[in-house]
Amino acid sequence: MVIGSIPAWESDGETRILLCRRAIEPRYGYWTLPAGFMENGETTAEAAIRETEEEAGAHIQLHPLFSLLNVPHVQQVHMFYRARLLDLDYAAGTESLEVKLFSEAEIPWSDIAFQTVTHTLKFFFADTAKIREGGSYDFHTQDITLPQAGIKP
Amino acid sequence: MVIGSIPAWESDGETRILLCRRAIEPRYGYWTLPAGFMENGETTAEAAIRETEEEAGAHIQLHPLFSLLNVPHVQQVHMFYRARLLDLDYAAGTESLEVKLFSEAEIPWSDIAFQTVTHTLKFFFADTAKIREGGSYDFHTQDITLPQAGIKP
């Protein structure tokens, strides 16, 4: 079980998301949301906060669970919580080359490490657009059924 | 990861839920929703359908994920999908003593095997009441932080 967050920073009416560039394999050098394997004795929410602190040095307030993605060919389930970034004092952890805020237009879509992250970001910005028109965030699920190019299942 | 379903049967304007009485430890003889450990290579939805078939011999149409409950002291996460029971040809599997439909008033609350099932059933019937007044089902999360009486963590 891989748990992460979508750390959002609101300013000037725009939502920016904190991404980490991976310093480890698989997908070294590609961008991802802060996430990692759940540890024994912690809750999914605690795992999301811990991984965001470890990988992005970021302090967040956790919001509800936003996405659950099955990746059966690697026997994983990925989950992402929405989160509010509390300050801009983030810094790359040992598993990240850099961490950086991206608006929707700035997201490096072709350099995202994992399909689960791509889907989650697309769900997130689609909901953000709906919210400007009075909607609300939904909970999203998605099955990733084919291996990604470049990743051994 | 423990995945199950909430198999619902609608008739005469009432919602009944299919519960299984456990033929195995822990909590032999207590009632539960059909659920079990996710297996390698399957999705959470596939696990819910398989466990419902194995434990209750029941055929369901799966609806969206309804609840996610953390049980960190036993290093588990439980998830339940809403589901529509397609027919009444259910039958106890090898891990169940009997399977039976219960309306909200009939649920044996003091004989439910696990707190995660109790919470899920309470969330479910609360949402069912809201729906009669024009509401909709929500997605629910809950942390179970204390060991249950009778269960060794």
Side-chain angles (χ1 to χ4, degrees):
Chain A
M1 197 144 33
V2 172
I3 318 280
S5 79
I6 313 161
W9 179 259
E10 306 279 345
S11 74
D12 303 330
E14 191 156 39
T15 304
R16 289 184 175 78
I17 298 299
L18 196 65
L19 297 181
C20 308
R21 201 151 74 85
R22 290 173 62 83
I24 52 171
E25 294 294 348
R27 304 296 268 167
Y28 179 99
Y30 286 78
W31 292 91
T32 185
L33 288 164
F37 289 101
M38 193 175 175
E39 295 180 355
N40 281 338
E42 70 184 356
T43 66
T44 47
E46 289 166 349
I49 293 169
R50 178 184 52 73
E51 288 289 348
T52 304
E53 166 69 35
E54 286 178 9
E55 299 200 351
H59 315 112
I60 56 172
Q61 178 189 1
L62 214 63
H63 288 172
L65 187 62
F66 179 71
S67 65
L68 182 146
L69 309 101
N70 278 281
V71 200
H73 60 275
V74 290
Q75 293 147 24
Q76 291 179 2
V77 176
H78 294 199
M79 292 185 214
F80 293 92
Y81 283 82
R82 285 193 300 110
R84 187 168 72 87
L85 195 56
L86 294 173
D87 57 55
L88 296 175
D89 296 334
Y90 50 79
T94 54
E95 298 188 352
S96 304
L97 297 169
E98 56 178 317
V99 291
K100 197 174 151 188
L101 283 170
F102 293 89
S103 69
E104 181 175 10
E106 296 165 341
I107 298 274
W109 294 107
S110 56
D111 292 327
I112 299 293
F114 305 107
Q115 287 186 63
T116 56
V117 172
T118 301
H119 281 291
T120 294
L121 290 171
K122 286 189 184 292
F123 290 143
F124 180 84
F125 285 113
D127 278 13
T128 302
K130 281 196 319 186
I131 280 164
R132 282 187 218 109
E133 294 160 13
S136 61
Y137 286 104
D138 285 325
F139 173 65
H140 300 267
T141 57
Q142 178 81 38
D143 292 344
I144 312 288
T145 48
L146 290 174
Q148 291 174 265
I151 295 283
K152 307 286 181 293
Chain B
M1 196 142 36
V2 172
I3 318 280
S5 79
I6 312 162
W9 179 261
E10 307 278 345
S11 76
D12 302 331
E14 191 156 39
T15 304
R16 288 183 176 77
I17 298 298
L18 196 66
L19 298 182
C20 308
R21 200 151 75 84
R22 290 172 63 82
I24 51 170
E25 295 291 351
R27 306 295 269 168
Y28 179 97
Y30 287 78
W31 292 91
T32 185
L33 289 164
F37 289 101
M38 191 175 176
E39 295 180 355
N40 282 338
E42 70 184 355
T43 66
T44 47
E46 289 165 351
I49 292 168
R50 178 183 51 73
E51 288 288 348
T52 304
E53 167 69 35
E54 287 179 8
E55 300 201 349
H59 315 112
I60 56 171
Q61 178 188 1
L62 214 63
H63 288 171
L65 187 62
F66 179 71
S67 66
L68 182 147
L69 309 101
N70 278 280
V71 200
H73 61 275
V74 289
Q75 293 147 27
Q76 291 180 1
V77 176
H78 295 200
M79 291 185 216
F80 294 92
Y81 283 82
R82 284 193 300 110
R84 187 168 74 86
L85 195 57
L86 294 173
D87 57 54
L88 296 176
D89 297 333
Y90 50 80
T94 54
E95 299 188 351
S96 303
L97 297 170
E98 56 177 318
V99 293
K100 195 174 154 191
L101 283 170
F102 293 90
S103 68
E104 181 176 8
E106 295 163 343
I107 298 274
W109 293 108
S110 56
D111 292 328
I112 299 294
F114 306 108
Q115 288 185 62
T116 56
V117 173
T118 301
H119 281 291
T120 295
L121 289 171
K122 285 189 182 292
F123 290 143
F124 181 84
F125 285 113
D127 278 14
T128 301
K130 282 194 320 185
I131 281 163
R132 284 189 217 108
E133 295 159 10
S136 60
Y137 286 105
D138 284 326
F139 172 66
H140 300 267
T141 58
Q142 178 81 38
D143 293 344
I144 312 287
T145 48
L146 289 174
Q148 290 174 265
I151 295 284
K152 306 288 180 297

